[in-house]
Amino acid sequence: PPTTVILIDRSVFDYSLSWIEIFWRSILGEECCPHCGVLGRFSRHGAYEKYHYQRLIPILRVRCRNCRRTHALLPSFSVPGTSIGMNEVESFIFKRAEGASRMEAGTYLRLHGFGEDYLRSLERRILAAIHRAKALFLDRGDHRLTPWDWLIDVAERSAHPVYRLNRLSIVAGWGAVLCALAPGAGRRNTKAGTASSHDIPSARMAVPPIDSG
């Protein structure tokens, strides 16, 4: 089965494995399993590392004791399935919605060493994810809007539309729909496979970027 994530609202400055090891139970106490919907039946399942730009960050994995599906506890500053930061991606989205060119919208990402080809690929990935989200959330937002404006609209003009829509999608049982490892986790209550899901850490980038701190 595809990897499922549970998003944790945490900044890059105050996130650590020791923090997550201490507080994950209280964080997930009121959290439903994204797959089966059962409340607070998680157990620790292990940990792995993923890249946030060139910095490796620890990610805790938990397993639902009800359906036995595993989930990665991903901090909100890291974009699911990539090594880039959420703030830079959301800045890109807002600037594209305002009419900026792709290169103008990707200014902060270019400061991290990403070129035009990467920005073009990222844009295709975001637009494909928005198209999937519009199909999943037919009753949300104004579908006459451009994809960028629809995303901002459906996130209720939040400063963090990707995080907001991913949270809505996870609660609905679809998994993180935007910039995720897979298009979705599969509709809630579908039968899980017998294999455990494992996230694959992002590959080290050839061009050393500037760490955002």
Side-chain angles (χ1 to χ4, degrees), residues 77-158:
F77 62 81
S78 178
V79 179
T82 78
S83 61
I84 58 181
M86 187 68 76
N87 287 342
E88 288 79 6
V89 168
E90 291 178 329
S91 171
F92 179 87
I93 289 168
F94 278 114
K95 288 182 179 179
R96 287 295 273 156
E98 292 165 0
S101 70
R102 188 185 300 121
M103 292 296 283
E104 290 170 338
T107 297
Y108 292 117
L109 286 167
R110 290 193 290 118
L111 290 175
H112 287 283
F114 295 98
E116 184 175 3
D117 288 344
Y118 185 88
L119 295 178
R120 187 181 298 111
S121 174
L122 175 66
E123 181 168 295
R124 285 198 300 264
R125 187 174 183 177
I126 295 172
L127 290 174
I130 293 173
H131 180 73
R132 288 195 301 269
K134 291 176 76 171
L136 295 175
F137 296 103
L138 291 172
D139 59 340
R140 288 185 177 269
D142 185 348
H143 288 252
R144 296 169 297 180
L145 297 172
T146 68
W148 309 114
D149 287 324
W150 179 85
L151 171 59
I152 295 168
D153 183 49
V154 81
E156 299 177 343
R157 302 289 158 176
S158 165

